[in-house]
Amino acid sequence: MGETLHNDVIYVAVNQDVRESKLTLLWTLKTLPVKKLCLLHVHIPFSLNPSSCGLDESEINAIQESELKSSYDSLHKYRDLCTNKGVDEEDVDISLISGYGVGEGIVELIYQNNIKKLVMGAAADPHYSRGMSITSRKAEYVSQHAPHCCKMWFICKGKLIKTREGRFDLGNASHSLSEFDGSAQKPSRGRGRDDDKTDSQKEQHSERDQTPKKVRKEEDEPKSNDSETDSAPEDFLCPISMEIMRDPVVAADGFTYEEKEIRTWLNGGNDKSPITGARLAHRQLTPNYTLRSLIKDWLRHHPNYKH
């Protein structure tokens, strides 16, 4: 199909349960001029506490890896659906991000990939009339916190219920609230990363996030290569130390850090994100088992990597 411009890529957010997002994907394939498509999925790691569940760390890791495999299996089923509808397999990409919330994860992906066109599911009333209000908190969150330049289609059971047009005339570069079908929306009750940012911080955040940090695509999966000159993937490096992570954790800003480094940062009296400069909503750190597993696998295939 030849080279495709970045703005021609249509991103579709999908759930792990194929039954929930199948109609959303089919609507996209039937309605929009798909030249290249990318399937987005926010993977929520299964949280288990060894002290309370009675399992050791290896058993918990096995569960985590099984959950991750299930997510990739679902993404492959969605891709098969695309190819069955006539889309070339090489024109269907897969991106997965591990996060603590679906809405937050989708917004993170929009910023990181500079997404201009997004289709996602949204719950609504049973009549499915166009222009109805959205009752899905994650869809409401995304519509309010995504950058203005991203056009969005919200689908409920295979029917279009809302469209948010992309706008490029951003005089004030404010991303925390956006116009939605011409009417201003109240802020989502869910916590947003942008709530405590100034306009200039949001603009800087948007510029910094042009390069993906946490997103993993299939073509980026580790390949066997024993060269001593290999560089570790940027995704595997701690943003603070710029060294490969051993115990990656997700902080309140949605970014992944080496646990030792981010704890040192927090214990030093810092209450703002090392990357965005926005105030952190809390100090809780969530282990990123998915990324840790990928790093371990990469190191096994690169035994001569100097670290």
Side-chain angles (χ1 to χ4, degrees), residues 14-279:
V14 294
N15 296 325
Q16 182 172 339
D17 188 343
V18 178
R19 294 171 298 180
E20 293 186 19
S21 298
K22 180 179 179 180
L23 292 179
T24 298
L25 181 57
L26 289 175
W27 179 91
T28 304
L29 297 173
K30 179 180 179 180
T31 309
L32 301 180
V34 177
K35 296 181 180 179
K36 189 173 183 63
L37 185 142
C38 185
L39 301 167
L40 301 182
H41 177 65
V42 180
H43 176 71
I44 308 299
F46 195 64
S47 180
L48 288 174
N49 189 331
S51 60
S52 61
C53 69
L55 300 175
D56 59 34
E57 186 175 353
S58 63
E59 292 174 314
I60 293 177
N61 286 343
I63 294 175
Q64 297 280 350
E65 292 179 7
S66 176
E67 287 291 315
L68 177 62
K69 182 180 182 301
S70 295
S71 291
Y72 272 115
D73 287 345
S74 295
L75 288 169
H76 293 156
K77 290 179 181 178
Y78 286 119
R79 186 174 61 185
D80 291 342
L81 182 60
C82 293
T83 57
N84 289 339
K85 292 297 180 179
V87 182
D88 292 340
E89 184 174 343
E90 64 182 14
D91 291 324
V92 182
D93 288 336
I94 288 175
S95 289
L96 179 147
I97 186 173
S98 291
Y100 51 86
V102 175
E104 291 91 337
I106 292 175
V107 171
E108 190 70 39
L109 284 166
I110 293 173
Y111 276 105
Q112 291 180 351
N113 285 342
N114 193 24
I115 293 175
K116 296 296 186 288
K117 298 175 183 177
L118 174 72
V119 181
M120 68 176 294
D125 68 59
H127 299 291
Y128 313 122
S129 61
R130 188 165 186 171
M132 67 174 64
S133 61
I134 291 177
T135 60
S136 166
R137 282 193 178 184
K138 65 182 179 183
E140 180 187 6
Y141 181 93
V142 173
S143 72
Q144 293 171 358
H145 291 83
H148 289 283
C149 58
C150 180
K151 180 174 182 178
M152 301 181 194
W153 295 265
F154 295 89
I155 312 301
C156 183
K157 296 193 174 181
K159 298 180 182 295
L160 175 67
I161 58 173
K162 283 285 185 181
T163 301
R164 196 196 78 165
E165 294 295 334
R167 289 175 44 231
F168 296 89
D169 54 334
L170 304 183
N172 59 5
S174 173
H175 296 318
S176 59
L177 289 177
S178 56
E179 290 184 1
F180 192 60
D181 275 4
S183 61
Q185 299 292 310
K186 295 181 180 180
S188 168
R189 286 177 290 177
R191 182 188 62 78
R193 291 192 335 272
D194 291 342
D195 292 346
D196 296 320
K197 296 181 187 176
T198 64
D199 287 345
S200 61
Q201 286 173 330
K202 292 169 191 173
E203 189 172 2
Q204 292 169 3
H205 185 196
S206 177
E207 292 173 356
R208 269 192 292 263
D209 284 349
Q210 299 301 315
T211 303
K213 293 181 177 63
K214 295 192 303 175
V215 179
R216 291 187 302 280
K217 295 186 178 181
E218 282 195 326
E219 59 266 27
D220 296 330
E221 291 179 1
K223 295 179 174 61
S224 178
N225 191 331
D226 292 338
S227 173
E228 293 186 13
T229 61
D230 281 350
S231 298
E234 183 181 353
D235 301 9
F236 297 170
L237 303 181
C238 173
I240 297 175
S241 67
M242 295 309 296
E243 295 180 356
I244 196 163
M245 291 180 282
R246 302 304 176 134
D247 294 298
V249 294
V250 180
D253 60 359
F255 292 97
T256 299
Y257 305 89
E258 173 64 30
E259 182 177 12
K260 178 181 64 176
E261 298 293 340
I262 189 63
R263 287 198 184 279
T264 299
W265 172 270
L266 295 174
N267 292 337
N270 297 297
D271 61 354
K272 295 182 179 179
S273 165
I275 294 180
T276 69
R279 189 176 301 278

